[in-house]
Amino acid sequence: MSETTAYRICPLCEATCGLELTITDGRITGARGDHADVFSHGFICPKGATIGELEDDPDRLRSPLIRDGDDWREAGWDEAFAAVRRSLGAVTGRHGRQALALYLGNPNVHTLAGGLYAGPLARALGGTNLYSASTVDQMPKHVAGGLLFGDPMAIPVPDLDRTSYLLMLGANPVDSNGSLCTAADFPGKLKALRRRGGTLVVVDPRRTRTARLADRHLPIRPGADAYLFFGVVHTLFTEGLVADTPGVDGVADVERLSRDFAPEDVTGACGVPAEEIRRLARELAAAPSAAVYARIGTCTAEFGTLTNWLVDVVNVLTGNLDRPGGAMFPLAPHRRPGTGSGRGFRTGRWHSRVRGLPEVRGELPATTLADEILTPGEGQVRALITVAGNPVLSLPGGERLGDALGELDFMVSVDPYLNETTRHAHVILPPPPPSRSPHYDIAFGDLAVRNTARYSPPALPLRDGELDECAILARLIGIVSGQDGSGQDATGQDESWRDAGVDEPIIAHLLGKAIADPSSPVHGRDPAELLPLLTGETPALRRLDLMLRLGAYGDGFGAVPGGLSLAVLRDAPHGVDLGPLRPRLPEVLRTPSGRVELCPPPLAEDTVRLRDGLARRRTGLVLIGRRHLRSNNSWLHNLPGLVRGSNRCTLQVNPEDARRLALTDKGTAKVTGAGGTVETEVEVTDEVMPGVVSLPHGWGHGRPGTRMSVAAAHPGVNVNAVTDPLALDPLSGNAVLNGVPVEVQPV
Ligand SMILES: Nc1nc2c(c(=O)[nH]1)N[C@H]1C(S)=C(S)[C@@H](COP(=O)(O)OP(=O)(O)OC[C@H]3O[C@@H](n4cnc5c(=O)[nH]c(N)nc54)[C@H](O)[C@@H]3O)O[C@H]1N2
Ligand SMILES: Nc1nc2c(c(=O)[nH]1)N[C@H]1C(S)=C(S)[C@@H](COP(=O)(O)OP(=O)(O)OC[C@H]3O[C@@H](n4cnc5c(=O)[nH]c(N)nc54)[C@H](O)[C@@H]3O)O[C@H]1N2
Ligand code: SF4
Ligand SMILES: [Mo]
């Protein structure tokens, strides 16, 4: 028996914990927190601890599948890619590139493959049918950041380790472990905040486990955070609490807009008492440092972009943007600092064919994908690529989308499971499990509460028949872009890399830009001298090495002694600490003015909608979502270690509502919304406020043709059969998943 230890960053959520894996005879036999990890210091959650189960799951696909009528047959990679090439070519040959769509799911931000290849794959499409989980998640954040700071990736995060006052809305990091705020051991950081005398206030319709850690929990009517925040802004102005705001335009315009939203005006809409709104404003202004942090509950709502704008308005007006202890901009190791101005950000450069919805960051709202497949005419979608997504369960209208997928001429999915979505594919290309893939978090360095750099090599080698996901995506890009004429003779992995030819042009482009940039450490050097210095067994890793060496802390190919490179990270299995967040204004800005634009016209215009909503009568039940520590969206329900115990897909109902509606605990309720009806188990609890019911997403398993036996035994119901595919935040195209009007009846 041989036993070894390997270190691997957990890819299952945004906390990015360092895992210490025990490997016995080529299998993962243990996973615990890596105490030496410079970022997570030993913290993990039950999901990270079951990573071995994920690896050994007998339902996990280990070789490509090709549809054969109602059956599947296992195929080799060359045969699978040849089938993809033939079928995609037939569709685009007949109908043009607009007939091809791509859906990118959430795990793309958790894999090196997604980080390096999702962008190039999207660009290779050559049409406008790009969809992703971003429009059922955080798109309002990108739009707010884009308009305020000129860069949709400029999303400030709370400086958790140093703040003395944290106001949190629409987030439950004790269960989710945090989002758009990468912080391992979020619960520990909240406890530490209180221990050092700081204050935590949580605004949430549910008394979550996070709310229970807080000094105050303020229940709010779902979808109404923008009202609360305008009330706070109003108070800051009327009580003279606004800090100096050098480098900020539009303060007077925000003041003017806020006049309609006095605490007394908004209290009816949001359900938070006027005096409490004033108190929040006063406390935020008076705290030595304070940060407002708003997450998914505020994004997936009808005023999602307005809310996330107002959150940063409050961070600015209280003097807390970009100062230690406030809301700050991380600087990831593979990024270069900016120049302080740029072209700015706009949306609506094109519109969706059927519903006329504006493009945002090159994407169309995911909830309109079904319309684009089902509506005949020029530009109709006839082929779909999904990578790491399960839109049938994740999107409002997902059930209709499932029907639509059955109508496609061709569908290919890069996914390890035969699930509710991939069962409609014609070819499935499964990636190897995380422990057999190299890892570096491209996405989360931009969002982490401390700057660090960490790389995990594969803990185990690929097994026969497995292909690294970077190679899978590179190969797909080659096919989609028409560059892969290689044909049929690609045998081993080296071949499939070589014929893809995706990375070399990107490397040449990045290097060329750096060489031309007077502020780069490689300015004026010769590419022919630098290229051979790149290390890495694969083109993906060579590209990562390049990004690190040119990045903010890079070695500049020797110009900066002690700087980062892939080799340096390989020698540091627990990561390299780069210190606490540092102020980045104005360098981080990409607005044409080089200033923070506090009152961009699209946001100012959308306040009309908010004002109109003040008069709306608010009666009737609304639905919100819920996350559980042992679950992760739709795809970890096949691990016995995580689904053990009682049913979690319950409808939480306040006792007051339960009495009124004659619902009983453990009884069954029928929940009806604009999208349809589901029947589910009732859980009567005063955790949810009156007038609000809560049902988690990602359930609805056990369908014919899927191959997830454990999930099928714990099916739950699909909440997105109830939510409304037509309900969107207009500025971001983000779906409304919280504050969904529903009717509930006993069965
Ligand atoms: N009602 C409601 N709906 C919601 C939400 C909500 O709160 N309420 N939340 C929304 C949010 S925030 C999100 S992010 C979306 C998620 O929406 P999706 O991304 O569409 O769905 P996931 O459930 O994350 O599915 C992930 C898929 O990736 C596959 N996968 C796992 N690991 C890998 C890998 O390494 N490589 C590849 N190629 N595939 C992999 C899994 O098998 C699964 O099929 O759901 C959204 N939907
Ligand atoms: N265990 C686990 N962890 C996860 C996931 C998972 O499915 N399970 N999913 C991952 C993903 S993809 C994401 S995006 C993140 C999300 O991470 P979080 O943003 O922390 O998401 P949630 O835990 O859903 O918390 C959202 C909170 O918003 C509240 N809420 C709902 N509507 C409103 C509203 O209108 N206003 C306010 N103020 N609050 C509201 C809900 O009651 C809930 O407590 O979690 C990630 N981590
Ligand atoms: S909190 Fe859990 S799932 Fe998230 S990265 Fe850490 S161990 Fe993995
Ligand atoms: Mo998400």
Side-chain angles (χ1 to χ4, degrees), residues 298-375:
T298 68
C299 291
T300 50
E302 70 171 311
F303 300 115
T305 306
L306 279 180
T307 303
N308 282 283
W309 163 59
L310 288 167
V311 161
D312 282 330
V313 166
V314 169
N315 284 325
V316 168
L317 294 180
T318 56
N320 282 301
L321 184 74
D322 201 42
R323 82 161 168 196
M328 303 189 74
F329 300 98
L331 181 57
H334 56 279
R335 301 259 182 230
R336 294 235 19 107
T339 57
S341 66
R343 266 185 302 186
F345 174 75
R346 67 196 193 92
T347 62
R349 293 168 297 171
W350 54 84
H351 290 77
S352 71
R353 178 180 66 103
V354 179
R355 284 173 61 194
L357 299 167
E359 152 281 336
V360 178
R361 292 192 81 211
E363 297 185 26
L364 297 171
T367 47
T368 199
L369 173 56
D371 305 316
E372 297 294 331
I373 298 172
L374 292 170
T375 311

Side-chain angles (χ1 to χ4, degrees), residues 9-19 40 43-49 51 110 175-178 183-185 629 632 636:
I9 300 160
C10 177
L12 298 178
C13 90
E14 297 179 43
T16 68
C17 302
L19 303 178
S40 61
F43 179 82
I44 56 164
C45 84
K47 292 188 294 300
I51 196 141
H110 295 277
D175 285 312
S176 71
N177 278 304
D185 195 11
L629 183 61
N632 190 23
L636 285 185

Side-chain angles (χ1 to χ4, degrees), residues 577-594:
D577 183 33
L578 301 166
L581 303 185
R582 285 191 287 270
R584 288 190 61 193
L585 282 175
E587 160 268 304
V588 73
L589 297 177
R590 292 209 197 150
T591 50
S593 61

